[in-house]
Amino acid sequence: MRLHLITVGEPKLAYARAGWDEYEKRLRRYHKLQVTRAVGKSQALEGEAIRRAAGRAPLILLDPRGAQFTSEGLAAFLEARALAGDGELAFAVGGPDGHTDDLRANAAALWSLGQLTLPHDLAMVVLVEALYRASTITAGEPYHRG
């Protein structure tokens, strides 16, 4: 399955850049990856840039209103989407103000990383690590020790 990771901006802090780079590299062993850094001068323009970047792929927004997954649950979700014929999924991390109501209403799913508010840079790292972990679970590899 192809995964399209869409972020508003890119990690700016050194620890986040290093984490993103490491897990992106690892994730590429399991999926074809595309990374898009969306830009916009307002929340609405960021939303439009995310929508355009996702194209026809089902869009999954990281949003505090979304469903929470365990690592095994995320692996099952990805596997179910692949079996349903989704050749590509787009995951989007919004800007500091989050996503617009319009973008949320038109998303295929909302995914919450938890009840904590995370800095934008850290949310990007958590996204890519969670996708990597889910991929190792599906592959039956020992990274996740549950």
Side-chain angles (χ1 to χ4, degrees), residues 4-48:
H4 188 172
L5 309 179
I6 306 167
T7 66
V8 173
E10 60 184 271
K12 292 177 181 63
L13 299 173
Y15 81 89
R17 180 84 244 163
W20 176 275
D21 290 345
E22 177 65 25
Y23 287 108
E24 178 186 341
K25 179 177 74 176
R26 291 182 186 194
L27 187 56
R28 286 184 185 279
R29 287 185 254 163
Y30 301 93
H31 300 280
K32 292 178 183 175
L33 278 186
Q34 178 178 353
V35 177
T36 300
R37 306 293 187 196
V39 294
K41 294 185 182 208
S42 68
Q43 187 183 30
L45 291 174
E46 289 171 358
E48 284 305 312

Side-chain angles (χ1 to χ4, degrees), residues 69-79 91 111 127 130-131 134 138:
F69 292 107
T70 63
S71 295
E72 295 87 354
L74 179 59
F77 172 79
L78 294 174
E79 199 168 358
F91 294 87
W111 172 20
L127 163 67
L131 292 171
T138 300

Side-chain angles (χ1 to χ4, degrees), residues 84-137:
D86 289 327
E88 178 179 1
L89 293 176
F91 294 87
V93 178
D97 296 321
H99 299 293
T100 63
D101 291 337
D102 181 57
L103 192 60
R104 274 193 295 275
N106 291 294
L110 302 179
W111 172 20
S112 172
L113 296 177
Q115 294 182 7
L116 294 172
T117 300
L118 298 175
H120 185 70
D121 281 11
L122 186 55
M124 286 188 259
V125 175
V126 173
L127 163 67
V128 74
E129 191 282 338
L131 292 171
Y132 169 70
R133 181 177 296 272
S135 299
T136 64
I137 290 169

